[in-house]
Amino acid sequence: MAAPAQPKKIVAPTVSQINAEFVTQLACKYWAPHIKKKSPFDIKVIEDIYEKEIVKSRFAIRKIMLLEFSQYLENYLWMNYSPEVSSKAYLMSICCMVNEKFRENVPAWEIFKKKPDHFPFFFKHILKAALAETDGEFSLHEQTVLLLFLDHCFNSLEVDLIRSQVQQLISLPMWMGLQLARLELELKKTPKLRKFWNLIKKNDEKMDPEAREQAYQERRFLSQLIQKFISVLKSVPLSEPVTMDKVHYCERFIELMIDLEALLPTRRWFNTILDDSHLLVHCYLSNLVHREEDGHLFSQLLDMLKFYTGFEINDQTGNALTENEMTTIHYDRITSLQRAAFAHFPELYDFALSNVAEVDTRESLVKFFGPLSSNTLHQVASYLCLLPTLPKNEDTTFDKEFLLELLVSRHERRISQIQQLNQMPLYPTEKIIWDENIVPTEYYSGEGCLALPKLNLQFLTLHDYLLRNFNLFRLESTYEIRQDIEDSVSRMKPWQSEYGGVVFGGWARMAQPIVAFTVVEVAKPNIGENWPTRVRADVTINLNVRDHIKDEWEGLRKHDVCFLITVRPTKPYGTKFDRRRPFIEQVGLVYVRGCEIQGMLDDKGRVIEDGPEPRPNLRGESRTFRVFLDPNQYQQDMTNTIQNGAEDVYETFNIIMRRKPKENNFKAVLETIRNLMNTDCVVPDWLHDIILGYGDPSSAHYSKMPNQIATLDFNDTFLSIEHLKASFPGHNVKVTVEDPALQIPPFRITFPVRSGKGKKRKDADVEDEDTEEAKTLIVEPHVIPNRGPYPYNQPKRNTIQFTHTQIEAIRAGMQPGLTMVVGPPGTGKTDVAVQIISNIYHNFPEQRTLIVTHSNQALNQLFEKIMALDIDERHLLRLGHGEEELETEKDFSRYGRVNYVLARRIELLEEVKRLQKSLGVPGDASYTCETAGYFFLYQVMSRWEEYISKVKNKGSTLPDVTEVSTFFPFHEYFANAPQPIFKGRSYEEDMEIAEGCFRHIKKIFTQLEEFRASELLRSGLDRSKYLLVKEAKIIAMTCTHAALKRHDLVKLGFKYDNILMEEAAQILEIETFIPLLLQNPQDGFSRLKRWIMIGDHHQLPPVIKNMAFQKYSNMEQSLFTRFVRVGVPTVDLDAQGRARASLCNLYNWRYKNLGNLPHVQLLPEFSTANAGLLYDFQLINVEDFQGVGESEPNPYFYQNLGEAEYVVALFMYMCLLGYPADKISILTTYNGQKHLIRDIINRRCGNNPLIGRPNKVTTVDRFQGQQNDYILLSLVRTRAVGHLRDVRRLVVAMSRARLGLYIFARVSLFQNCFELTPAFSQLTARPLHLHIIPTEPFPTTRKNGERPSHEVQIIKNMPQMANFVYNMYMHLIQTTHHYHQTLLQLPPAMVEEGEEVQNQETELETEEEAMTVQVDIIPSPTDTSCSQETPAFQTDTTPSQTETTASETGASSNPEAIPALSETTTTVAGAVSAPAEAYTPQDATSAPEGTK
């Protein structure tokens, strides 16, 4: 297998290069946003830039990047565009800019939406240019740019402006391009289309000739484009050199075709046109397919196009076709061919009279049709309306190969898509892993197209939806597997031994050489399948490694995935490995196969099962694992060995590699998706179309649901009647009771329910009445029945005063349907979620709710808040491995709940015993739950009924109050409750108390009845399953757990009615979808009633490691984001309570009217200034330090020493002023900088008690969902903005701080960025040098925004700040030292007890010694001894060896690592080393190197 050449990474230009560029000089003259006096518009500028900068550089990305970044499109091109100035250079420049925006993944159409007038004219010119001759005005490269632009247009149908233009190209009238016979055939198939067709013809006749000609041009555009492509394709020679422009044009064209076929609105009409043009036949017979190097990607794209042209869907109705319907279509085609042959072609009688199964394979079709002449084949095709009729006495112009392929490919039997999927191996092999068209490297720049599915807004069917996600999930996992294999195998250093074998010169933690490998079982196939049901093998390895690594290998559990690898190195012993060169040829990798662990074998060769019993201790170091191989892959390999004489792959393996368990769940998820595709996956009817992206996006909103609920109990949602009225502005609130004293929560509210499909009313009066009625809410206060006399019987209550939008979100969540809540930072998303869960629990006690989140942390936060509400904890259950992180004494995991039930059962039976004793009943009623049930029925109920008959109303006279207490049968039992139980004030009150007492008793027996199953079920596993399926009402899990365990949950008969998803915008599309299907349908229908998604699509999306899948395939788009783009109604929370109002302004522009909660203005912490700092937020400009800005020791591992030192210096300054270190977090946008900052903190102040460590040093992405009072942010980059250009990352970065945000960056770079303007215009409005007030102590009384009474000092650069902090620290040490000296000289009489003085003196002496040592060893600012330090991390290690961070490895306290500080760490708790002036540039790379 040829190893692909290593692609080059696109290097971003530096600021100095940008400034020196001709483009930048023009920008400063004509369109740069920060230039006040701009020169007037000049068309020649556009012509010059296009010719000299773009065409001359062959459309170099670097040039186009510069232009796009300088806001060329927004401020010059489109702003001045009009038909008068339109030219080729103008059109091409706009297309290049739009394409670049898509490549960079930034919004592209905003500027066109603002100024849409000339867009139709512009678009028509693009169409004209796309059809121009390739040797004419537009070159092929330019036309490829136009194709890409058109593809972006077709993929942006949600933009009204684009859709209005594209619809003219693709709709029923485009069938004008069909040949007449085919058109008649299609109209005959769908009779209603003939009506529309006649209408179109009538309308065309009314048009004036010019407009008609224009319309005809547009309708025929795609047909003409296909013909043009075919002519380009035919010009590609078989073996002579070909220009890559032609190849790229062909690839882009096929990509456009795939995108048109994969969207139902375009496919509906276009599929027929494509079929009529026989494009696929032309492509498969073309020379390009047969060119191995150049045509590889083209062939892969072609296979994708073939798949979509034959997709199992009815183009007109959009319904998925079943296997039977597909078979019927296939039979219809063959029989129509047989009829034509029988009627007109005597030479095909044998074919016509054969049965279908005999003639529908490729071989038999070629046998029958091969001998026919070209003219006869043409006539057969024309009878089937595939080609125009051949005129008499004329020969066909098509060659025979084309005609034969046309008939054969159309009529051959196709394997169904689900069969194909079931035969596909789940593990990637070496062919896929290193194919860069399918799994691109990290260097993918976004330039070329790839053979990958895309996730856009719409999907053809659920099968298509699942299949695209299946393929992308599989390939994203493959990318990670490739990285792991390359890392592990290169560490093992496979070399060729002298005798031609393999010798390993290194070792790897995650891989071991295989000693022996044998296949031990190949089970028989199931009926109708040709692959074995299972294949098992034994792998023996020798674990001569350290104990902890040995434990890791022995700890491999059932279902863990490993990889079997064959290497045959050609390099001699001792050859160095070069990471920059292709990996495969260096290590000689030949095969990769996946396997799944069944278990380790014991001495007797039996599999050691996972279980509570301790594992047997095995002697020696040889270990054998039994593994399952992939049966599909095994069958393919064996077939290849037998048919083609290839070697047996399974006799060659010499390495086994394992992976980290957290990253190794891909196979289980893929199996889940495959199982979903094999079952009749029933999505609720009200959701089906929305998930596919069709129909009315608001159809699942509660207001349009037929089963909307009129009256809802809001339980403890409202704090008072005033709160309720404020929560429904614009509504008329009618309370059922007049007395204000009775208007107290909880409230039941009756809403005016209008069915979504109301009749149209013509009477205006009725409509007014209707709107008045629609605004009236009937509110009924009700009293929660007394639950018993004990204090713990009182229900827990909500204390949050929800805003009116939060109430709308809660109301929507309680109603059936789809609820989408957009929660900006700090708007109380979790509180809303918890209240919805609580309200559903109380309104619908028989329903079960599933909670799904992205991370364990979010699930734990949610659980902690749920426990604070009135929800019985026996109904809570938490699945997955994160429950151990719950910060509560209670265990909500499966087994934790089982133990709770067993303990609770014993407690309750004790209560029964006490009750029995108090009633004086003999016997043992509290022996089991069953006996307790009989005791309740015969002893307790009879006494209660007798009591009720004595004290209830007899006729008109009220019974005496004292009777309630006198006859009460359970006085003795309730003797331990607060006394007196009965108040004796009124009959009603006492009667309610008596009923409350009985409810308390009844609840004991109800719970025991529920727990009775745990007596019958003996094993913990059975009990936990029972809890999951029957007992729990609120079940929580992460999306990953749902994907992994779907099969088990469905098998158990797991059922639920509602789903609530938190962090929904961070969950992968497929992982959001799977939780909808964790239960079997009931009678063919899903029982799901509510789906509540809470998230924020303006913050960061799901993490996708490979840029190609993230950007090209749009895999980072969550289902939540897609729903928002499609137009599903959302409730946008609009009041934040996290940050100061001024900090909120940095990101609230991204949201619909996001305001502040009142406490943000009122609480002292928000109104007080940040001590020692003039501003509450500041952007601090950091120039190059020692001539270096950003550095990149490894790809995408960016560091910036100047910024890192500056950030740490500010952190130290704040701590010295008195800020608590745990209230400060340091964030950065790159992993490289994170490691560097951690390293600097370890050196400067990590172990110093006066300073300490910040709460966290991490990346912005990792800190999403968290917050802190003060955030110090380093943006690192000095050459290009990088991934901060994604506004979502900016929003996260700006919204983490509550009280203070200090950003360190190269201002000249970021202020030019169009997407970041709203935030950076506010940041740059303040001074760009740090303003500090060193004499102001923490905390301060100064109000935020007030001028300080202390002196303000301006820090110009990082060395100045480092020196300042150093001097401040020294001053602090000296004053402390002086203070202690004074204290020691105090006379003993001043202290009461002499003993205390002694103790204190001893303490002070040791402290004094420490201070002396500390002062002695701290280098002065001028001392450069620090520059001789060896870096804290040795840089000769490979990236993954040093992946652990500085703080984790404790490298800072390693005496060998930092000689200069070794004495410090041994004698004193910590020290501040010299400031950054003394640093040498080599330290810039001293942080560990890892991946981005």
Side-chain angles (χ1 to χ4, degrees), residues 134-193:
T134 48
D135 49 4
E137 189 185 358
F138 288 85
S139 70
L140 207 52
H141 195 135
E142 288 172 325
Q143 290 189 332
T144 310
V145 171
L146 295 174
L147 276 184
L148 182 55
F149 177 81
L150 286 172
D151 191 29
H152 292 320
C153 290
F154 282 114
N155 280 317
S156 303
L157 293 180
E158 77 275 21
V159 181
D160 299 341
L161 179 68
I162 307 294
R163 191 172 59 249
S164 62
Q165 295 306 312
V166 167
Q167 269 172 342
Q168 294 165 16
L169 306 182
I170 293 206
S171 52
L172 178 59
M174 80 181 299
W175 280 6
M176 281 178 63
L178 296 175
Q179 41 161 320
L180 283 173
R182 180 68 189 264
L183 177 61
E184 277 305 308
L185 185 73
E186 293 298 329
L187 293 177
K188 203 168 158 187
K189 267 195 224 163
T190 323
K192 68 171 185 182
L193 290 182

Side-chain angles (χ1 to χ4, degrees), residues 1281-1307:
V1281 171
H1283 62 198
L1284 191 71
R1285 228 189 138 171
D1286 186 338
V1287 179
R1288 296 169 298 188
R1289 189 168 277 102
L1290 178 82
V1291 168
V1292 175
M1294 297 292 149
S1295 59
R1296 300 304 97 201
R1298 293 180 65 245
L1299 305 173
L1301 173 67
Y1302 301 94
I1303 304 169
F1304 297 82
R1306 181 66 53 87
V1307 175

Side-chain angles (χ1 to χ4, degrees), residues 1294-1362:
M1294 297 292 149
S1295 59
R1296 300 304 97 201
R1298 293 180 65 245
L1299 305 173
L1301 173 67
Y1302 301 94
I1303 304 169
F1304 297 82
R1306 181 66 53 87
V1307 175
S1308 57
L1309 175 68
F1310 289 93
Q1311 71 180 8
N1312 279 341
C1313 186
F1314 179 67
E1315 290 75 24
L1316 311 182
T1317 309
F1320 273 84
S1321 58
Q1322 294 180 57
L1323 290 166
T1324 51
R1326 292 188 172 181
L1328 300 177
H1329 286 131
L1330 180 62
H1331 284 50
I1332 60 173
I1333 313 162
T1335 49
E1336 185 175 53
F1338 175 90
T1340 181
T1341 51
R1342 173 169 62 94
K1343 291 283 172 235
N1344 195 22
E1346 266 182 22
R1347 290 301 302 167
S1349 52
H1350 300 265
E1351 184 196 343
V1352 176
Q1353 191 166 340
I1354 298 173
I1355 302 290
K1356 292 281 172 53
N1357 53 31
M1358 183 274 291
Q1360 184 189 347
M1361 183 66 181

Side-chain angles (χ1 to χ4, degrees), residues 697-711:
S698 62
S699 61
H701 189 257
Y702 72 85
S703 61
K704 295 195 177 178
M705 293 290 283
N707 55 344
Q708 199 183 145
I709 299 161
T711 304

Side-chain angles (χ1 to χ4, degrees), residues 712-715 742 744-748 780-785 797:
L712 288 167
D713 179 0
F714 274 79
N715 199 25
L742 296 175
I744 52 169
F747 299 112
R748 264 190 216 101
E780 177 198 348
H782 65 99
V783 178
I784 295 175
R797 288 184 174 280

Side-chain angles (χ1 to χ4, degrees), residues 537-569:
D538 285 353
V539 186
T540 306
I541 57 176
N542 192 15
L543 290 178
N544 182 14
V545 287
R546 291 181 204 151
D547 286 349
H548 69 279
I549 297 175
K550 190 175 185 175
D551 292 345
E552 285 174 11
W553 278 97
E554 289 181 347
L556 283 173
R557 290 186 304 189
K558 194 173 182 176
H559 302 310
D560 278 352
V561 172
C562 289
F563 285 88
L564 304 163
I565 300 165
T566 303
V567 291
R568 292 194 184 124

Side-chain angles (χ1 to χ4, degrees), residues 11 444 529 533 770 987 1138 1457-1458:
V11 180
Y444 175 70
E529 293 176 353
T533 43
D770 192 50
Y987 170 78
R1138 173 188 290 173
I1458 313 176

